[in-house]
Amino acid sequence: MSDANDTTKTGNADVDQSADKDPSDWVTGDEPPTGPQLSYLETLAREAGEEVPSDLTKAQASEMIDKLQSETGRGTS
């Protein structure tokens, strides 16, 4: 059940569902990036004139996406 503050009641504790988890805290952060991550990252890197390292982890790819979105103006509302 969720309320206007985007929290979920679990037992006696409220869990904030709106907060993004830091990629360095991801359980799967050390895995290879997903296909959609790589595809979007390649697009952003091309627009920013940057290279995508071939040995990125899923967490590193997410962080690079955030950085390149900021540089290219993508991903902003």
Side-chain angles (χ1 to χ4, degrees), residues 38 40-56 60-61 63-65 67-68 71-72:
L38 285 176
Y40 187 47
L41 188 53
E42 290 290 341
T43 299
L44 290 170
R46 186 171 44 254
E47 289 180 9
E50 294 197 24
E51 294 286 324
V52 176
S54 61
D55 60 345
L56 285 179
Q60 290 169 327
E63 290 168 347
M64 189 171 183
I65 287 170
K67 175 183 164 273
L68 292 176
E71 289 179 14
T72 63

Side-chain angles (χ1 to χ4, degrees), residues 1-74:
M1 171 184 216
S2 122
D3 63 19
N5 291 329
D6 232 4
T7 59
T8 301
K9 300 219 183 272
T10 55
N12 292 333
D14 286 350
V15 178
D16 186 353
Q17 298 295 313
S18 64
D20 289 331
K21 191 171 183 178
D22 186 329
S24 64
D25 293 333
W26 292 357
V27 173
T28 60
D30 289 336
E31 293 179 2
T34 65
Q37 267 186 313
L38 285 176
S39 177
Y40 187 47
L41 188 53
E42 290 290 341
T43 299
L44 290 170
R46 186 171 44 254
E47 289 180 9
E50 294 197 24
E51 294 286 324
V52 176
S54 61
D55 60 345
L56 285 179
T57 65
K58 189 184 290 187
Q60 290 169 327
S62 178
E63 290 168 347
M64 189 171 183
I65 287 170
D66 290 345
K67 175 183 164 273
L68 292 176
Q69 280 180 325
S70 176
E71 289 179 14
T72 63
R74 281 185 172 244

